[in-house]
Amino acid sequence: MNTLNQKLSDDPRERSLTSNSYYLASAPSVGAWPALAGSADCDVCVVGGGFAGLSAAIELARRGFSVTVLEAEQVGWGASGRNGGQAIVGHASDAPIENQLGDDAARQAWAVTVEGLNLIRERIAEFNIDCDFVPGYKYLAVNERKARALHEWFEHVTHFYKHPYWRWVGRNEIGEHIASPRFHSGLHDTLSGHLHPLKYCRGLARAAASLGVQIHENSRAVAIERGERPLLKTAAGQVRARFVVLAGNSYLGGLVPELQPRIMPVGTYVVASEPLKPELADSLIRERAAVCDSNFVLDYFRVSPDHRVIFGGRVSYSGMTPPNLAVGMKQRMLKTFPQLGEVVKVDYAWGGFVDISMNRAPDFGRLTPNIYYLQGFSGHGLSLTGMAGRLVAEAIAGQAGRFDIYARLRHLPFPGGALLRTPALVLGMAWYRLRDLL
């Protein structure tokens, strides 16, 4: 895969991983939206047809703005249509928010993520989005040392944020929650859950279109002219707008060079097994909840409605796809569920990039008073992206209080500059992998 400074979506290796996606194979086709041709004018131009961009479009349209969405590929082509499907409360890291902004702002930000999970449920119901949503999430530790750290965090969140949806699952009852020898203990969350991300993303696009949003696929924004009415240019057209929302994350390429040093594209990979017998699938995870371990370099998995194990992990911080991806991921799956046996097949293996920030906290802000950006979801964005769209719409409509909680966060560039920052991150992650093994 290419570096952030290049067009990630132009890499044939990533296109190969995209085409072997279980999500792509199992999501009903919704047709195509036309590429932009000629000139257009609107109140807000959104760059990126994923969760954040489409959510912003929905919220803006409801506030009376005319909205155009420019998607470089197809709706949901990037991380929104290829992720692990887990919608989880909180942020990838809440500590920077607590440390930088204080208790009140941290609690407001946490409440945003709670609202995000409720927003998913609301949009599924309102727009009749069939996306296989299942409530329930288990966050599990693989040994006693990690269990102590996880329990401290559980106690902190339960009391600091007054979060009532969790309960601790001790060592003596872990076997009632998951049929795996890997786990020591952990927590169960009834608010979070999982879904089919590409079905959900396409459902959001249909919802946006029903509200009058103009969506253009295969319309990469290649240049932006800033000013009182910014101009977005594509290969075959241009859009003049009062406001711009940049929601392309890792896939913006060189459109806004000043944002590139603050995020790093990280490859993340997922496989789907062949369909299991229903009784075997039911036995793996209680209530078929989503599961994630508490390692820094983590595994996450769930069971699909058609009885497949969808298993993610094996991230790549170098930008290169791991060799023998399906084989390596199958070994990780069998380490978690050895009862599946060596005969279980992997039907699909796919991956793509998520954007991480240096401190793993969201990076929202303004390049100019009328150009907003949303990035840095750091692999924890399925629910937060929806709220990012709502918050940026509030800000454009003149109510920026919640958006500015996040905009106040300070973000440092990744060290090493354009040439050395990827090798530096690879070395750093190797240290964390070693810590996970202890």
Side-chain angles (χ1 to χ4, degrees):
M1 295 185 184
N2 292 340
T3 67
L4 182 61
N5 295 324
Q6 297 168 305
K7 295 177 181 177
L8 297 173
S9 58
D10 287 342
D11 193 321
R13 288 167 293 184
E14 182 169 3
R15 290 190 176 278
S16 175
L17 282 171
T18 306
S19 65
N20 195 33
S21 161
Y22 164 71
Y23 299 142
L24 195 61
S26 56
S29 174
V30 294
W33 281 274
L36 179 68
S39 298
D41 194 280
C42 63
D43 292 325
V44 187
C45 182
V46 176
V47 178
F51 293 145
L54 293 171
S55 178
I58 290 170
E59 296 289 336
L60 287 160
R62 284 193 149 148
R63 287 164 172 79
F65 293 91
S66 59
V67 185
T68 297
V69 175
L70 300 179
E71 166 54 44
E73 301 288 340
Q74 294 81 44
V75 164
W77 188 88
S80 294
R82 288 187 255 168
N83 62 76
Q86 300 195 4
I88 304 169
V89 72
H91 307 86
S93 178
D94 295 288
I97 303 174
E98 296 174 16
N99 295 337
Q100 289 189 36
L101 305 184
D103 292 358
D104 289 344
R107 290 189 178 104
Q108 290 179 64
W110 181 271
V112 165
T113 72
V114 173
E115 184 178 335
L117 288 163
N118 291 325
L119 181 62
I120 289 173
R121 290 167 165 87
E122 292 166 9
R123 285 182 171 162
I124 289 172
E126 178 182 1
F127 297 110
N128 194 28
I129 301 175
D130 181 10
C131 61
D132 307 329
F133 180 79
V134 177
Y137 167 67
K138 301 179 193 298
Y139 192 24
L140 306 181
V142 298
N143 57 40
E144 185 176 357
R145 179 180 66 84
K146 292 184 178 297
R148 288 195 299 270
L150 181 57
H151 193 269
E152 289 177 6
W153 181 78
F154 163 77
E155 291 282 348
H156 168 70
V157 169
T158 300
H159 294 98
F160 182 78
Y161 294 113
K162 310 299 182 186
H163 191 68
Y165 300 96
W166 289 350
R167 80 172 189 86
W168 186 254
V169 177
R171 177 67 167 167
N172 61 340
E173 58 178 329
I174 191 68
E176 300 173 14
H177 285 258
I178 185 166
S180 171
R182 279 191 65 200
F183 301 105
H184 180 280
S185 54
L187 61 89
H188 177 74
D189 172 15
T190 58
L191 180 66
S192 302
H194 61 93
L195 51 70
H196 189 302
L198 186 56
K199 288 182 180 179
Y200 182 60
C201 195
R202 289 177 173 177
L204 292 179
R206 289 193 300 271
S210 74
L211 297 172
V213 174
Q214 300 298 307
I215 300 174
H216 296 286
E217 295 180 318
N218 300 303
S219 301
R220 180 189 303 278
V222 296
I224 180 169
E225 294 181 1
R226 308 179 191 193
E228 184 177 349
R229 288 184 62 85
L231 182 69
L232 277 297
K233 296 182 179 180
T234 71
Q238 60 184 28
V239 179
R240 179 78 68 178
R242 293 167 52 206
F243 299 93
V244 173
V245 176
L246 300 172
N249 303 307
S250 295
Y251 295 94
L252 286 177
L255 184 65
V256 280
E258 61 264 55
L259 291 182
Q260 289 185 352
R262 299 228 298 262
I263 59 170
M264 178 75 75
V266 172
T268 183
Y269 306 96
V270 190
V271 297
S273 75
E274 64 182 335
L276 307 177
K277 292 181 178 180
E279 58 271 21
L280 175 57
D282 283 336
S283 72
L284 299 179
I285 306 168
R286 184 172 173 179
E287 299 168 345
R288 295 201 178 191
V291 180
C292 181
D293 70 44
S294 64
N295 290 342
F296 191 88
V297 183
L298 51 82
D299 290 330
Y300 48 92
F301 47 92
R302 58 199 182 90
V303 177
S304 68
D306 59 347
H307 317 305
R308 302 174 188 269
V309 176
I310 299 177
F311 197 97
R314 201 176 182 184
V315 296
S316 170
Y317 293 92
S318 68
M320 299 299 295
T321 302
N324 302 315
L325 177 62
V327 174
M329 292 294 288
K330 177 181 174 180
Q331 290 172 347
R332 297 174 80 97
M333 184 192 305
L334 292 178
K335 184 178 179 181
T336 300
F337 295 117
Q339 65 269 44
L340 297 182
E342 291 293 336
V343 295
V344 69
K345 295 189 300 182
V346 168
D347 282 350
Y348 300 94
W350 69 98
F353 285 100
V354 297
D355 60 323
I356 63 171
S357 62
M358 186 70 176
N359 61 8
R360 303 302 194 274
D363 184 6
F364 305 164
R366 304 168 181 82
L367 295 178
T368 67
N370 57 0
I371 300 178
Y372 293 75
Y373 65 88
L374 307 168
Q375 65 177 21
F377 296 98
S378 302
H380 207 84
L382 204 158
S383 63
L384 184 58
T385 44
M387 285 305 298
R390 174 168 284 182
L391 267 54
V392 76
E394 291 174 355
I396 289 172
Q399 296 177 318
R402 295 203 294 177
F403 182 86
D404 284 342
I405 291 174
Y406 290 94
R408 285 164 48 201
L409 282 167
R410 298 184 304 275
H411 289 275
L412 298 175
F414 280 85
L419 292 178
L420 297 178
R421 69 197 200 116
T422 294
L425 183 61
V426 170
L427 288 174
M429 292 307 105
W431 162 246
Y432 281 109
R433 283 191 175 98
L434 286 174
R435 288 191 62 187
D436 283 341
L437 294 174
L438 298 178

